[in-house]
Amino acid sequence: MKPFEFRPAQGPWSTGQSWLFVCAVPDLAADRDLAALFGDCRRALDGFPIVPVADEALRVTLAQVGDAPAAQIGAGEREALLEALRSRLREVRPLEILAGSPLAYATGALCDLEDEPLQDLIGVVRSVIRDLRGPEADTFHPGVTHLTLGYAFAEASTDDLARRLRRVRPSHARMRIEALHLLEVSTDPAARAFRLVPVGAVPLGQR
């Protein structure tokens, strides 16, 4: 395991800019088993050079508005994106996915997620971004979906972390997704964290 680069030499985070992302945000007040799983995972990370992700920063990234930094996307453009998402997501019912198992990763720890339902949702969101802002805005390809639990700030044994996380029981919990969130995301290298500013939320299946 190696440190996560919050200010890499290249890429969008190297400039200190913020970007708009569409994310699913866990409701830990409602999904108590999920909150318990994340709490157990944080305790498992204790003693490793990993900064756990705070509750308010937990999210599943589905898509990025990648054609311009957030500072260049005004209030009218943001509302247009939210309205386009509202129009398309009226046809998408709320869903429930399985979160787990927690896994050691090359730069920290993550929670694996039931991927297929999220990939369908990602397809809808990315098509909205392309239709509204052009193909150049659809720059983020999330691959297998996950939720990051913590970011490493020094090297450590990934095998040791994997053994610790494997002892977390129960290792799975249900995560209900009833809305998607447009977030302005930036990095805070000093805190070794991402900062999220809510822009708007779009309910699923609301007519």
Side-chain angles (χ1 to χ4, degrees):
M1 183 170 58
K2 62 182 181 180
F4 181 88
E5 293 187 64
F6 282 97
R7 187 171 286 160
Q10 296 180 340
W13 302 121
S14 65
T15 62
Q17 293 172 323
S18 59
W19 298 82
L20 295 180
F21 288 84
V22 179
C23 302
V25 177
D27 184 350
L28 300 183
D31 290 337
R32 300 307 301 167
D33 289 345
L34 188 66
L37 172 60
F38 292 161
D40 290 343
C41 289
R42 286 181 179 135
R43 285 185 282 277
L45 299 181
D46 191 40
F48 286 90
I50 295 175
V51 176
V53 178
D55 283 352
E56 62 271 16
L58 291 168
R59 77 278 182 200
V60 182
T61 301
L62 304 179
Q64 178 185 8
V65 183
D67 58 320
Q72 297 178 21
I73 302 176
E77 292 175 283
R78 295 178 184 211
E79 183 53 41
L81 177 56
L82 287 168
E83 184 54 40
L85 288 168
R86 288 186 196 106
S87 178
R88 288 290 300 276
L89 293 175
R90 289 190 185 104
E91 308 300 323
V92 179
R93 299 181 64 181
L95 63 146
E96 190 174 83
I97 62 170
L98 191 63
S101 298
L103 302 172
Y105 194 62
T107 54
L110 57 82
C111 185
D112 202 11
L113 299 172
E114 186 178 358
D115 189 57
E116 186 174 349
L118 289 175
Q119 290 297 335
D120 292 340
L121 195 54
I122 286 168
V124 173
V125 173
R126 290 179 61 185
S127 70
V128 169
I129 293 173
R130 288 194 301 270
D131 291 346
L132 186 67
R133 302 186 62 87
E136 64 276 9
D138 180 27
T139 58
F140 182 77
H141 308 287
V144 178
T145 49
H146 66 277
L147 185 148
T148 299
L149 298 170
Y151 297 99
F153 59 86
E155 293 189 1
S157 169
T158 304
D159 289 345
D160 289 346
L161 177 59
R163 282 190 287 270
R164 180 82 67 86
L165 289 172
R166 191 170 182 271
R167 290 197 289 268
V168 171
R169 290 290 186 274
S171 58
H172 294 74
R174 306 303 299 184
M175 175 178 168
R176 187 164 174 79
I177 300 173
E178 298 185 337
L180 298 187
H181 297 257
L182 183 62
L183 304 172
E184 183 171 339
V185 182
S186 60
T187 60
D188 184 345
R192 303 187 180 100
F194 284 93
R195 300 300 181 200
L196 279 55
V197 176
V199 176
V202 178
L204 300 182
Q206 183 169 303
R207 296 180 181 275

